[in-house]
């Protein structure tokens, strides 16, 4: 009996976004290839991984790259980040040896990275097919950061060579330009479509049938809880991952309800968030208006904001100061009054799956799947 095809999925544990971005692709692969063996490599929350990936995967809970240090979900500690990347590069041979030993033991048919560079490098050195999938690379993030002049040149060179040397780099819409990549293939937005169960949710929460539902979520990084200081109001009912045990008549905590953010995407009237790939694409692909808190120093933000506006999704920016002061009643009213947009088609998951399948089912290990440049 032939061995089960084996996918190693390596993700950066910078919030929830990287695993959320690639999970629809992994689900599509699992449906297309019954019995697909999946190993997740990344220091991500096991509960979140179980929520996002097909059952039965193995989880190696260790990091294979550098996670950006953050002050809450909106501010990167850039100077500290550059020091961390320099330290990682100084010990690169040790990291690479560990990663190659791990891949030898696991013997995957394909390494899919979103988007640590070390697993891609180790795989290529071992002759294992290696594919990147992400709307950004850490090379682009460092190169376009507000302290780009401090980015270690050795780190930038290493990242650029490894990403460009992968068998393929799948660039889902919307993405940073990354025009320097010789191996890039563009696909559509990657997102989940969810049913609208707002009436059921209002009944469960004993809310009036016309009370708008608003989802507040900032991507899995703690440190921002505006509801701590806001007065209660009747404009919307907030749904938030946690209230820390507090009680508010105008808000409900998902952890107490046994619900997850992904369960609600199709059921809310608006989303309050930071700019991030997963929230933006799921808002667009479910036709949900959003309010975003401007970050200013996040290099991916212009690409995300330009795309979602072009899609016709009603959006409004707010500053962090206005958010903390609770001065967001006007943008909420404007979005609630806006015409509900036509959802964008989330074609990227299926398109990426089609690009990846040949590596996992081909008979001739020397064959090069179509779609590579």
């Amino acid at each position: 009996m032939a061995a089960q095809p084996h996918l190693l999925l390596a993700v950066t544990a910078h919030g929830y976004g990287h695993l959320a971005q690639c999970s629809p692709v992994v689900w599509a692969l699992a449906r297309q290839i019954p019995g697909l063996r999946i190993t997740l490599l990344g220091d991500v929350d096991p509960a979140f991984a179980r929520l996002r990936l097909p059952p039965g995967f193995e989880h190696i809970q260790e990091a294979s790259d550098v996670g950006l240090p953050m002050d809450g979900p909106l501010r990167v500690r850039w100077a500290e980040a550059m020091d961390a990347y320099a330290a990682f590069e100084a010990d690169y041979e040790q990291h690479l040896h560990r990663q190659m030993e791990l891949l030898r033991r696991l013997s995957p048919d394909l390494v899919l990275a979103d988007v640590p560079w070390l697993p891609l490098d180790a795989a290529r050195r071992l002759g294992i097919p290696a594919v990147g999938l992400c709307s950004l690379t850490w090379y682009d993030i460092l190169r376009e950061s507000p302290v780009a002049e401090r980015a270690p040149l050795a780190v930038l060179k290493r990242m650029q060579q490894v990403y460009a040397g992968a068998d393929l780099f799948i660039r889902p819409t919307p993405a940073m330009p990354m025009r320097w990549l010789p191996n890039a293939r563009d696909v559509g937005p990657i997102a989940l479509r969810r049913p609208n169960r707002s009436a059921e949710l209002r009944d469960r929460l004993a809310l009036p049938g016309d009370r708008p539902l608003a989802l507040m979520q900032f991507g899995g990084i703690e440190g921002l809880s505006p509801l701590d200081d806001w007065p209660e109001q009747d404009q919307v009912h907030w749904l938030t991952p946690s209230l820390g045990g507090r009680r508010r008549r105008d808000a409900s905590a998902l952890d107490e309800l046994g619900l997850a953010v992904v369960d609600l995407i199709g059921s809310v009237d608006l989303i309050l968030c930071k700019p991030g790939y997963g929230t933006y694409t799921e808002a667009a692909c479910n036709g949900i208006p959003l309010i975003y808190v401007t970050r200013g120093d996040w290099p991916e933000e212009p690409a995300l904001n330009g795309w979602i506006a072009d899609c016709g999704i009603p959006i409004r920016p707010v500053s962090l100061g206005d958010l903390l002061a609770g001065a967001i009643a006007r943008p909420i009213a404007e979005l609630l009054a806006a015409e509900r947009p036509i959802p964008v088609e989330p074609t990227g998951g299926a398109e990426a799956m089609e690009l990846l399948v040949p590596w996992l089912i081909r008979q001739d290990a020397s064959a090069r799947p179509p779609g590579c440049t």
Side-chain angles (χ1 to χ4, degrees):
M1 180 180 295
Q4 291 177 318
H6 184 191
L7 171 70
L8 176 70
L9 175 64
V11 298
T12 299
H14 183 238
Y16 292 153
H18 292 273
L19 180 57
Q21 181 177 73
C22 59
S23 66
V25 180
V26 178
W27 273 99
L29 286 168
R31 288 189 292 266
Q32 185 72 16
I33 307 172
L36 176 66
R37 180 185 169 195
I38 300 166
T39 299
L40 170 64
L41 173 63
D43 189 21
V44 297
D45 178 10
F48 182 73
R50 290 192 296 271
L51 181 67
R52 285 289 189 164
L53 292 178
F57 68 93
E58 176 187 359
H59 186 184
I60 300 173
Q61 195 176 357
E62 64 180 63
S64 56
D65 65 353
V66 177
L68 287 177
M70 304 288 295
D71 282 328
L74 299 178
R75 293 288 179 261
V76 179
R77 299 199 297 269
W78 286 111
E80 184 179 329
M82 296 305 176
D83 293 339
Y85 280 108
F88 188 86
E89 176 64 22
D91 292 332
Y92 191 79
E93 292 304 318
Q94 180 179 344
H95 294 307
L96 181 64
H97 175 76
R98 160 65 185 161
Q99 195 79 170
M100 291 175 69
E101 287 299 308
L102 180 64
L103 294 186
R104 286 191 186 98
R105 176 174 65 83
L106 294 171
S107 189
D109 295 288
L110 173 66
V111 171
L112 178 64
D114 192 335
V115 65
W117 64 101
L118 178 66
L120 294 173
D121 193 4
R124 291 293 289 160
R125 292 175 189 244
L126 293 171
I128 299 170
V131 176
L133 185 157
C134 197
S135 54
L136 56 83
T137 70
W138 294 118
Y139 169 79
D140 291 280
I141 293 296
L142 297 192
R143 189 182 62 171
E144 298 183 26
S145 76
V147 293
E149 71 281 357
R150 289 197 53 186
L153 294 180
V155 173
L156 292 176
K157 182 178 179 181
R158 173 92 65 188
M159 289 176 171
Q160 188 175 29
Q161 289 177 340
V162 171
Y163 289 131
D167 289 283
L168 183 66
F169 196 102
I170 300 173
R171 192 167 49 192
T173 302
M176 296 180 72
M178 299 183 276
R179 296 184 182 93
W180 54 272
L181 278 172
N183 52 350
R185 285 289 300 270
D186 292 328
V187 298
I190 297 177
L192 297 173
R193 279 268 177 85
R194 290 296 182 180
N196 186 341
R197 295 177 175 158
S198 57
E200 174 185 333
L201 191 55
R202 288 187 186 92
D203 285 345
R204 181 174 177 181
L205 298 174
L207 297 174
D210 59 352
R211 181 62 50 83
L213 299 173
L215 174 63
M216 178 189 299
Q217 70 98 16
F218 296 103
I221 297 176
E222 297 181 354
L224 182 61
S225 303
L227 285 170
D228 289 353
D229 301 310
W230 288 358
E232 294 183 346
Q233 46 75 53
D234 294 311
Q235 189 178 25
V236 297
H237 188 86
W238 291 105
L239 300 167
T240 187
S242 177
L243 287 170
R246 299 182 307 280
R247 290 289 178 267
R248 293 179 61 107
R249 65 175 175 79
D250 64 345
S252 298
L254 302 186
D255 56 1
E256 297 179 11
L257 296 170
L259 297 173
V261 167
V262 70
D263 298 322
L264 303 176
I265 292 296
S267 302
V268 297
D269 297 285
L270 64 88
I271 299 173
L272 172 61
C273 63
K274 68 176 183 179
Y277 184 92
T279 305
Y280 272 46
T281 55
E282 290 184 353
C285 293
N286 288 276
I288 310 297
L290 62 82
I291 299 172
Y292 69 92
V293 184
T294 54
R295 300 180 67 176
D297 67 346
W298 183 242
E300 189 188 14
E301 185 171 335
L304 295 171
N305 287 338
W307 173 79
I308 200 166
D310 288 345
C311 290
I313 305 299
I315 62 172
R316 294 293 186 276
V318 296
S319 68
L320 178 59
D322 283 346
L323 176 77
L324 295 179
I328 61 171
R330 180 174 178 177
I332 289 175
E334 291 173 348
L335 292 185
L336 293 177
E339 184 177 350
R340 193 71 174 228
I342 299 173
V344 175
E345 289 296 325
T347 60
E351 293 166 351
M353 177 271 291
E354 291 176 358
L355 292 171
L356 297 173
V357 161
W359 274 292
L360 293 166
I361 64 173
R362 71 187 192 277
Q363 300 299 314
D364 179 2
S366 66
R368 188 175 180 80
C372 299
T373 56

